[in-house]
């Protein structure tokens, strides 16, 4: 009996329920196991071991950028993929300053997102 491959968990932190569900479906179809959270605080409370996290910038309470900063301050090096509907280039700059692994404007291209996650998976 061969050992099964551990699940490739991808955390999704997105307050919009339909977007969160769609990302979960996309991840499952691409061979990943989604862990879905509606807020940064819920993600922090759960602290799931994850391959990476897809984080929306606009969240209730703590923003996606604030979550990045908090995780980095705690020494957490999980790769973070930032998504946003904001067209403000300053948001992208802040995400990169906080060491994001990838950045996507919404609507996110599913193929590009899964390629980025696959690249992170191959590095782990």
């Amino acid at each position: 009996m061969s050992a099964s491959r551990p699940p490739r968990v991808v955390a999704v932190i997105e307050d919009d329920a339909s977007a969160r569900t769609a990302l979960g479906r996309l991840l499952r179809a691409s061979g990943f196991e989604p862990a879905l959270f509606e807020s940064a605080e819920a993600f922090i409370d759960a602290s799931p071991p994850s391959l990476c996290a897809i984080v929306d910038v606009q969240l209730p309470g703590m923003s996606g950028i604030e979550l990045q900063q908090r995780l980095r301050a705690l020494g957490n090096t999980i790769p973070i993929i930032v998504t946003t509907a904001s067209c403000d280039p300053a948001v992208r700059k802040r995400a990169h300053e906080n060491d994001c692994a990838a950045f996507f404007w919404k609507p996110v291209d599913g193929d590009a997102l899964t390629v980025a996650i696959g690249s992170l998976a191959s590095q782990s």
Side-chain angles (χ1 to χ4, degrees):
M1 182 181 220
S2 65
S4 64
R5 184 176 76 185
R8 300 185 307 166
V9 176
V10 176
V12 176
I13 302 95
E14 168 64 65
D15 63 320
D16 180 275
S18 61
R20 193 171 55 246
T21 299
L23 283 169
R25 287 184 183 143
L26 172 68
L27 292 168
R28 271 193 199 89
S30 301
F32 299 100
E33 181 61 37
L36 307 176
F37 302 92
E38 63 185 32
S39 71
E41 292 83 359
F43 172 75
I44 289 171
D45 288 345
S47 299
S50 307
L51 167 67
C52 66
I54 301 170
V55 181
D56 184 25
V57 170
Q58 299 289 14
L59 296 168
M62 184 186 307
S63 75
I65 298 294
E66 291 167 335
L67 174 60
Q68 274 188 286
Q69 292 168 333
R70 181 130 184 234
L71 291 173
R72 296 308 181 238
L74 294 170
N76 187 323
T77 59
I78 184 174
I80 297 172
I81 298 172
V82 175
T83 66
T84 186
S86 169
C87 294
D88 185 351
V91 171
R92 183 178 189 152
K93 182 176 188 256
R94 288 185 65 206
H96 283 293
E97 287 171 350
N98 289 304
D99 193 32
C100 72
F103 183 94
F104 292 95
W105 303 109
K106 289 183 178 180
V108 176
D109 178 302
D111 290 336
L113 179 62
T114 56
V115 166
I117 297 168
S119 175
L120 293 171
S122 70
Q123 295 171 22
S124 63

